[in-house]
């Protein structure tokens, strides 16, 4: 989860998020250099005498500042498109979970190997135990195995919601009447938090998502396979 | 990196307050080399031409070009290294899982080399 003063991305828990972080670093470096150049040009503009004759009819400069931005855009677009298509790859998922958004909680269905269905409500502040996270912890977490491709089918029962888990690089809209799919493979165990990311009413900020990612051996002993 | 600094650890320092060059691979290396390139190019130009303003322009241009060049070179090598690490990790996992079975990668490799 994010800490209080964090402005950067969370650490990656899936290969896609690793790629997104790499792309973010790449784009940020280019942006930083462009900003530096623009600031320098601004400084020069402010400190140049008005009688300077080098500020008009600069055909070569105009050619450069047309072609160079095009090259820069291509350098940004190519990795971006690569990751975009990578997120759409479906690698034979081992497990399919349905996630249904409601006002203001999530329902999860594990129907591959049985009929496990449960709701996930945010824990009200009065019910928090010491160590629990305010506005983030839920009564029933989504327990999933690591190192296994998982398919999430996301929809909504009422209004628009969005199922987002930043550390996995996931954000998928939950749209009533439509089934959206996202797949991911988690690389390390832990508890990961997300929040509803589409305004959905008064308690939009109070319907978090909590994933508990555990090793497959332990997952197999759980209620998904034993119920 | 997402974790907040622990009490005993030194405080994170960010370039200009927000650029996390310490934790972004290749960033610190690229900016340092870019700064060096900028000083060398700008000062060298000034030594030859004694034109201050133009030397500053050359310095800024040098900074941008050297930083970009180092950045792309370092990121390319970093990406290759990550791929190699991933392959090595997968092979180690396969070796641990399948050692002694017919799927043992070493057995397959020895079998194909003896054929």
């Amino acid at each position: 989860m994010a800490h209080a003063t964090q402005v950067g991305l969370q650490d990656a828990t899936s290969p896609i998020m690793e790629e997104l972080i790499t792309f973010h670093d790449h784009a940020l470096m280019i942006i930083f250099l462009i900003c530096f150049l623009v600031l320098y040009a601004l400084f020069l503009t402010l400190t140049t005498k008005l009688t300077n004759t080098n500020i008009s009819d600069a055909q070569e400069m105009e050619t450069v500042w047309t072609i160079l931005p095009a090259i820069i855009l291509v350098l940004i677009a190519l990795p971006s498109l690569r990751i975009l298509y990578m997120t759409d790859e479906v690698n034979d998922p081992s497990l399919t979970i349905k996630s249904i958004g409601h006002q203001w909680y999530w329902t999860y269905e594990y129907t591959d190997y049985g009929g496990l269905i449960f709701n996930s409500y945010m824990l009200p502040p009065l019910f928090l135990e010491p160590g629990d996270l305010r506005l983030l912890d839920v009564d029933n977490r989504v327990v999933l195995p690591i190192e296994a491709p998982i398919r999430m089918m996301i929809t909504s029962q009422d209004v628009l919601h969005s199922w987002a888990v930043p550390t996995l690089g996931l954000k998928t809209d939950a749209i009533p009447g439509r089934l959206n799919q996202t797949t991911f493979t988690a690389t390390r165990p832990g508890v990961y938090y997300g929040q509803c990311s589409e305004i959905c009413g008064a308690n939009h900020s109070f319907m978090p998502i909590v994933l508990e990612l555990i090793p497959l051996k332990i997952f197999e002993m759980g209620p998904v396979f034993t119920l | 990196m997402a974790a907040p600094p622990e009490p005993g650890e030194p405080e994170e320092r960010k370039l200009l307050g927000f650029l996390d060059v310490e934790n972004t691979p290749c960033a610190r290396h690229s900016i340092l080399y870019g700064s060096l390139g900028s000083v060398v190019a700008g000062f060298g130009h000034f030594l030859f031409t004694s034109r201050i303003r133009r030397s500053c322009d050359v310095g800024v241009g040098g900074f941008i070009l050297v930083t970009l060049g180092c950045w792309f070179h370092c990121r390319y090598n970093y990406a290759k290294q990550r791929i190699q690490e991933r392959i090595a990790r997968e092979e180690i996992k396969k070796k641990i899982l399948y050692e002694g079975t017919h799927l043992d990668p070493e057995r397959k490799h020895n079998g194909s080399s003896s054929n």
Side-chain angles (χ1 to χ4, degrees), chain B residues 7 12 16 26 28 31 38 50 56 61 73 78-79 81 84 91-92 94 98 101-102 106 108-109 112:
Chain B
E12 292 184 329
L16 302 178
C26 299
R28 184 176 168 270
I31 288 179
S38 158
S50 300
C56 288
H73 176 75
Y78 178 70
Q81 190 189 343
Q84 283 166 354
E91 291 301 315
I92 290 170
K94 265 191 220 167
Y98 298 127
T101 67
H102 65 285
E106 238 174 57
K108 273 188 187 171
H109 175 71
S112 61

Side-chain angles (χ1 to χ4, degrees), chain A residues 154-160 174-180:
Chain A
I154 298 159
T155 186
S156 169
Q157 199 253 338
D158 38 45
V159 299
L160 293 180
I175 299 167
R178 181 184 171 91
L179 207 54
N180 281 333

Side-chain angles (χ1 to χ4, degrees), chain B:
Chain B
M1 194 142 135
E6 299 291 326
E9 284 180 6
E11 213 177 278
E12 292 184 329
R13 281 170 304 173
K14 294 185 180 175
L15 190 65
L16 302 178
F18 63 94
L19 291 168
D20 191 6
V21 294
E22 283 184 350
N23 295 314
T24 306
C26 299
R28 184 176 168 270
H29 167 267
S30 302
I31 288 179
L32 283 176
Y33 273 104
S35 307
L36 181 67
S38 158
V39 166
V40 165
F43 191 61
H45 188 272
F46 176 72
L47 284 179
F48 281 105
T49 62
S50 300
R51 294 173 69 178
I52 299 171
R53 218 167 169 87
R54 184 52 55 93
S55 301
C56 288
D57 296 345
V58 169
V60 167
F63 173 76
I64 291 171
L65 287 173
V66 175
T67 303
L68 264 182
C70 285
W71 173 257
F72 282 123
H73 176 75
C74 181
R75 292 297 285 199
Y76 176 74
N77 289 336
Y78 178 70
K80 266 200 322 193
Q81 190 189 343
R82 273 180 65 214
I83 291 169
Q84 283 166 354
E85 279 172 11
R86 197 180 297 163
I87 292 170
R89 220 175 16 243
E90 291 299 323
E91 291 301 315
I92 290 170
K93 248 191 255 177
K94 265 191 220 167
K95 173 73 182 167
I96 292 169
L97 268 175
Y98 298 127
E99 190 169 20
T101 67
H102 65 285
L103 294 169
D104 189 345
E106 238 174 57
R107 185 181 290 188
K108 273 188 187 171
H109 175 71
N110 291 341
S112 61
S113 59
S114 62
N115 286 338

Side-chain angles (χ1 to χ4, degrees), chain A residues 58-79:
Chain A
Q59 304 299 339
E60 299 83 7
M61 177 72 84
E62 298 217 357
T63 309
V64 167
W65 72 32
T66 304
I67 292 175
L68 197 58
I71 295 171
I72 291 170
L73 285 175
V74 168
L75 284 177
I76 295 174
L78 289 179

Side-chain angles (χ1 to χ4, degrees), chain A residues 3 6-7 9-11 18-19 21-22 25-26 28-30 32-33 36-37 40 44 47-48 75 147, chain B residues 1-4 14 16 19 24-25 27 31 53 56-57 60 63-64 67-68 71-72 75 82 86 93:
Chain A
H3 61 84
Q6 185 173 337
V7 291
L9 298 168
Q10 295 183 27
D11 289 343
E18 287 172 23
E19 295 294 330
I21 290 172
T22 305
D25 295 340
H26 167 76
L28 198 64
M29 180 56 80
I30 293 174
F32 166 67
L33 292 174
F36 182 74
L37 181 66
Y40 181 66
L44 285 183
T47 55
T48 301
L75 284 177
E147 294 176 352
Chain B
M1 194 142 135
K14 294 185 180 175
L16 302 178
L19 291 168
T24 306
I31 288 179
R53 218 167 169 87
C56 288
D57 296 345
V60 167
F63 173 76
I64 291 171
T67 303
L68 264 182
W71 173 257
F72 282 123
R75 292 297 285 199
R82 273 180 65 214
R86 197 180 297 163
K93 248 191 255 177

Side-chain angles (χ1 to χ4, degrees), chain A residues 113-116 222-227:
Chain A
Y113 302 101
L116 179 64
V224 173
F225 292 100
T226 55
L227 262 186

